[in-house]
Amino acid sequence: MGSSEKPKGGVAPRVLALAQPLAQELGLKLWDVQYQKEGAEWVLRIYIDKEGGVGIDDCVDMTHAIDPVLDQEDPVPQEYVLEVSSPGLNRKLHRPSHFQAYLGEPVRARLIRPLEDGTRELEGLLLEADSDQLELQLDEDTSVTLEKKELAWVCALDDEDF
């Protein structure tokens, strides 16, 4: 690895650390930071949240707050597009804090490989989650424990979707 290359996954944690105090100052909660290549462009996405929902003004305020910090600290090794947005109602759960925030709430889990009966997505209440697995209550009588390494993604569900 050359000296100009950053370790894989290194940009998002650095930007997360830079953005966290700025989000708090603006009365926002930092939900997630993702840095990935999309087509020919690198995209740095900062997801913000707040009680009552995020509006365009919140996204603009966060963009104005983080822009000069990113210019000064220069945590991104190449040119990129900055996007600040809400994680949406059916937000993906990645971090331990995401899973903890949604305990007892409806979620959808997509498996990397389907179950024997062909089922690839499961919906249920998130009963428990740790670093390796999570438990979903599928109905009154059925709960299932899933290994996180077997999951493509997990997202929160709006109560109306459940």
Side-chain angles (χ1 to χ4, degrees):
M1 177 163 34
S3 60
S4 65
E5 291 183 61
K6 303 287 184 195
K8 186 174 181 186
V11 169
R14 286 194 300 276
V15 173
L16 185 73
L18 294 169
Q20 185 70 45
L22 298 171
Q24 287 177 336
E25 285 176 27
L26 294 169
L28 303 168
K29 190 167 106 181
L30 194 60
W31 179 258
D32 204 4
V33 173
Q34 296 176 350
Y35 180 66
Q36 56 200 39
K37 190 158 183 149
E38 293 182 3
E41 294 183 317
W42 282 92
V43 179
L44 176 62
R45 265 191 201 94
I46 299 174
Y47 293 100
I48 55 173
D49 201 9
K50 76 174 185 183
E51 195 68 38
V54 171
I56 189 72
D57 290 341
D58 297 311
C59 295
V60 169
D61 291 346
M62 185 66 189
T63 300
H64 286 214
I66 193 72
D67 246 345
V69 174
L70 292 174
D71 288 345
Q72 180 182 343
E73 298 295 325
D74 198 24
V76 185
Q78 56 269 107
E79 287 189 31
Y80 63 94
V81 175
L82 173 64
E83 293 181 6
V84 176
S85 67
S86 161
L89 290 176
N90 296 338
R91 59 195 62 198
K92 293 243 168 53
L93 309 181
H94 302 285
R95 304 180 185 288
S97 61
H98 296 167
F99 288 99
Q100 293 306 307
Y102 279 87
L103 289 175
E105 299 293 327
V107 299
R108 176 179 295 136
R110 181 166 177 83
L111 302 165
I112 294 170
R113 289 178 199 81
L115 299 175
E116 287 181 18
D117 67 1
T119 301
R120 190 165 213 148
E121 289 187 7
L122 300 169
E123 291 183 3
L125 295 180
L126 181 60
L127 296 179
E128 291 186 39
D130 62 28
S131 59
D132 299 320
Q133 57 190 19
L134 55 89
E135 183 179 358
L136 295 181
Q137 182 174 346
L138 303 179
D139 59 40
E140 284 185 31
D141 303 322
T142 311
S143 67
V144 62
T145 299
L146 303 168
E147 297 292 322
K148 284 186 177 177
K149 65 184 178 191
E150 297 172 350
L151 300 173
W153 49 257
V154 177
C155 72
L157 289 178
D158 188 342
D159 287 334
E160 294 175 11
D161 293 340
F162 186 64

